[in-house]
Amino acid sequence: MSLANVIDTFLNVWVFAFIGILIWLYFKKDSDG
Amino acid sequence: MLKNPLLLIALALTGFVALWGIIDTAGLTGFSAMLTSLLFTSRSWFIMLSVSLLLIVSIWLAFSPYGKIKLGQDDDEPEFSTVSWLTMLFAAGMGVGLLFWGTAEPLSHFKVIRNYTDNFRAAEQALFITNFHWGLHAWAIYAVTGLVMAYFSFRKGCPNLVSAPMKAVFGHRRWTKSVGWMSDLLAIYAIAIGIGGSIAMGVFQIQSGVESLFGLSDSGLWLAVAIFAVLCVAYISPLMVDLSKGMATLSNIAMAIAGGLMIFVLLAGPTFFMMSGIIGSIGDYFFRAIPHGFKTYTFFDEEVITWFQSWTLTFMVWWFAWAPFVGVFIARISKGRTIREYLLGVMIVPTFFSIFWFGVFGSIGFFEVLRLDAAILDALNTNINDITFFVLRYMPLSHLTSLATILAAFLFVVTSVVSASFVLSMFAPGGDLNPPTNTKLIWGAILGALGLVMILSNSIDAVKSIIGLAALPFIFIVLLIVMCLLKALKSEVT
């Protein structure tokens, strides 16, 4: 597996994780705002 | 100012990149190009999805009950007249790019698309793609970033910082502090590098115009440095006066020249041809823009995919690079307007202006190719900086119009530097809405130094890649702060 593939996989995981975090934060109830 | 660690790290970071660019231009270009290409190749769907979602959210907010909420307290009134407001935001958001790409961009698309269809359809499609790059999607990125800043700053009383929405909505927690700090740093970095590159590109374009006007060939570095020196003298005085006086006057003059130029070309050129192009492209644009935002060209051949990456994705990422600067700036001038008025003003008016602009300058380019058989497509390969002047040479009073183009490009660069210095000054001391003159002057000098470094390194390709690198993380930050806005609006109404 080349370095480019490793970075590519990492970025894919990050993008999906980010989308998940965003949705979770939006619906999270205990905000201070 | 020197006690501010955020500012010092931002200065060190931008200085490091500038230094790296001088010492090892090829290394910096290669590194940036490798990372940008990695992101473009596999994340194009995410970039297009993000841009389209921002547009849909903007349209929804404008027409939802949230549209009535004021960016400020309920009794706040707008600080600038609507005309001044529109010209200022347009000059900051597009400015010199329109003068540069007016004819060059539609013709560049035409050259590729005509390999797949006949010339007339290729021209139509080229105009549509250009309008897509400069239209609602671009302005939605700016509008929504500016909206978040304006809402939290003027309505919630938060500092005018990218990190403020996170802290306001989720409180002062460990993650909001660290992510917020990183966001502010990236915003300063993106603005400084972006404006440095913009100064260099503006100077090279003005240089090309001066060469064309006075028949100079290959004037070399001395002309670029001379133009840069004049530019520095020109932007120092507006930094010393109040924003409302300096910026509004400069933007109004630049926009008046650009508008006058557009009307002149429309009337002096083949008016029927251009008006038909404009009307056709309005319908084409508004019926196809939103579905086109989801297009990723996945199943096309390598040539089309490369073209998509080097144009559509590059433009979309560029708008993100400029979002912290233009967003914060238009937020600053939009106090007292309702969310609906703000969003419709920021998105619709500049989009219409762009459609007219590219309708005029794109159509005149197509006219020269299709009817006059001019060698403009060859000129596109040899010197893209010269395309606007090439078109003007086919019109009456070409010396005067070339001079007006140079003057407008000059003023657009000056307004960009002035407003960027203002925005950076607001960031650095912790969100001060009226930063002191000396802070603005220091930023003006830093931006000038970055611009000079880029002029001397003579490496615009490297600059473009570096700007791309600064912009890519900003896609995530913009999405995060938009989520904060939606959450805050929901809690304000309920």
Side-chain angles (χ1 to χ4, degrees):
Chain A
M1 205 179 190
S2 69
L3 179 67
N5 279 337
V6 174
I7 299 173
D8 192 53
T9 309
F10 170 77
L11 287 172
N12 276 336
V13 171
W14 162 245
V15 166
F16 287 115
F18 176 79
I19 295 170
I21 291 168
L22 212 59
I23 295 169
W24 174 70
L25 280 174
Y26 181 73
F27 288 106
K28 195 169 168 275
K29 287 227 158 60
D30 57 335
S31 69
D32 297 5
Chain B
M1 181 165 149
L2 290 175
K3 288 176 188 164
N4 190 323
L6 178 71
L7 177 64
L8 288 176
I9 293 174
L11 281 175
L13 191 64
T14 45
F16 168 74
V17 172
L19 210 62
W20 185 8
I22 297 172
I23 297 168
D24 181 18
T25 312
L28 179 62
T29 316
F31 177 76
S32 312
M34 187 268 286
L35 277 188
T36 317
S37 146
L38 246 178
L39 211 125
F40 276 6
T41 310
S42 305
R43 255 68 46 190
S44 55
W45 64 271
F46 179 67
I47 297 171
M48 295 311 286
L49 178 68
S50 304
V51 173
S52 292
L53 278 179
L54 291 179
L55 175 62
I56 291 167
V57 165
S58 307
I59 295 170
W60 172 72
L61 278 177
F63 294 103
S64 72
Y66 300 132
K68 289 180 192 157
I69 295 174
K70 245 188 186 179
L71 298 173
Q73 300 311 309
D74 290 336
D75 54 351
D76 279 343
E77 289 301 320
E79 191 181 343
F80 299 95
S81 74
T82 304
V83 174
S84 273
W85 176 61
L86 288 171
T87 54
M88 281 164 85
L89 70 92
F90 197 75
M94 301 291 171
V96 75
L98 278 179
L99 290 171
F100 189 92
W101 292 113
T103 305
E105 189 185 339
L107 284 180
S108 300
H109 300 322
F110 175 77
K111 263 182 81 177
V112 174
I113 299 169
R114 71 178 184 158
N115 297 332
Y116 297 85
T117 184
D118 59 63
N119 277 350
F120 303 99
R121 283 202 186 87
E124 214 170 67
Q125 181 66 6
L127 213 48
F128 168 76
I129 297 285
T130 309
N131 286 328
F132 174 78
H133 292 160
W134 294 79
L136 291 172
H137 291 77
W139 284 96
I141 296 171
Y142 288 163
V144 104
T145 311
L147 177 64
V148 178
M149 303 307 297
Y151 176 82
F152 282 98
S153 170
F154 299 133
R155 187 131 185 118
K156 297 288 179 188
C158 300
N160 207 17
L161 294 168
V162 178
S163 57
M166 299 170 215
K167 288 174 186 163
V169 173
F170 295 102
H172 289 260
R173 299 177 185 188
R174 196 178 294 170
W175 78 265
T176 54
K177 279 182 190 163
S178 50
V179 174
W181 190 86
M182 189 57 87
S183 307
D184 289 336
L185 182 69
L186 282 170
I188 296 176
Y189 173 72
I191 294 170
I193 298 283
I195 295 293
S198 179
I199 292 174
M201 276 185 272
V203 165
F204 289 135
Q205 198 200 348
I206 294 166
Q207 181 184 14
S208 179
V210 173
E211 285 171 355
S212 158
L213 202 60
F214 296 102
L216 304 170
S217 61
D218 197 20
S219 57
L221 208 58
W222 70 266
L223 184 59
V225 174
I227 294 166
F228 171 77
V230 180
L231 199 70
C232 289
V233 173
Y235 74 66
I236 284 171
S237 39
L239 284 177
M240 294 164 79
V241 295
D242 180 36
L243 173 80
S244 53
K245 290 175 197 153
M247 270 303 296
T249 312
L250 283 181
S251 301
N252 285 340
I253 295 171
M255 283 306 296
I257 295 173
L261 200 64
M262 182 177 78
I263 292 167
F264 174 81
V265 173
L266 179 67
L267 295 177
T271 312
F272 163 76
F273 192 86
M274 285 185 264
M275 279 311 295
S276 304
I278 292 167
I279 299 305
S281 63
I282 289 176
D284 211 19
Y285 179 75
F286 283 102
F287 275 99
R288 291 172 56 203
I290 291 181
H292 192 84
F294 292 91
K295 211 168 167 68
T296 52
Y297 296 93
T298 309
F299 309 114
F300 285 73
D301 62 28
E302 201 57 43
E303 188 191 17
V304 175
I305 292 172
T306 309
W307 165 81
F308 170 65
Q309 289 181 354
S310 57
W311 284 98
T312 304
L313 285 182
T314 302
F315 264 113
M316 292 306 148
V317 168
W318 263 75
W319 303 138
F320 274 105
W322 283 71
F325 156 50
V326 182
V328 170
F329 181 74
I330 59 180
R332 167 68 183 80
I333 60 173
S334 301
K335 188 181 181 183
R337 297 188 185 270
T338 63
I339 288 181
R340 182 169 303 140
E341 188 185 2
Y342 167 88
L343 285 172
L344 294 180
V346 174
M347 291 199 304
I348 305 274
V349 178
T351 299
F352 265 106
F353 187 89
S354 296
I355 291 176
F356 264 83
W357 182 270
F358 287 108
V360 168
F361 284 93
S363 298
I364 187 78
F366 294 136
F367 188 83
E368 292 183 5
V369 173
L370 301 173
R371 302 288 163 88
L372 304 179
D373 218 14
I376 193 168
L377 289 180
D378 300 329
L380 203 63
N381 289 334
T382 51
N383 186 7
I384 199 167
N385 299 358
D386 188 49
I387 291 298
T388 309
F389 303 105
F390 187 101
V391 165
L392 293 176
R393 282 197 287 272
Y394 272 81
M395 319 278 296
L397 304 172
S398 63
H399 274 72
L400 191 69
T401 49
S402 295
L403 196 66
T405 307
I406 294 169
L407 186 62
F410 187 83
L411 288 177
F412 277 132
V413 176
V414 170
T415 48
S416 292
V417 179
V418 173
S419 28
S421 306
F422 195 91
V423 167
L424 286 168
S425 311
M426 288 196 308
F427 269 135
D432 185 357
L433 279 178
N434 289 300
T437 304
N438 60 351
T439 314
K440 287 190 283 179
L441 284 173
I442 290 172
W443 270 116
I446 292 168
L447 293 177
L450 274 170
L452 182 64
V453 162
M454 291 179 195
I455 290 167
L456 294 176
S457 72
N458 199 17
S459 154
I460 290 303
D461 285 340
V463 174
K464 281 183 177 170
S465 298
I466 303 160
I467 294 170
L469 272 189
L472 292 171
F474 230 84
I475 300 176
F476 299 103
I477 294 165
V478 170
L479 293 175
L480 187 62
I481 60 174
V482 169
M483 184 272 295
C484 293
L485 172 76
L486 295 178
K487 222 170 147 73
L489 285 173
K490 197 166 70 172
S491 71
E492 176 168 335
V493 171
T494 50

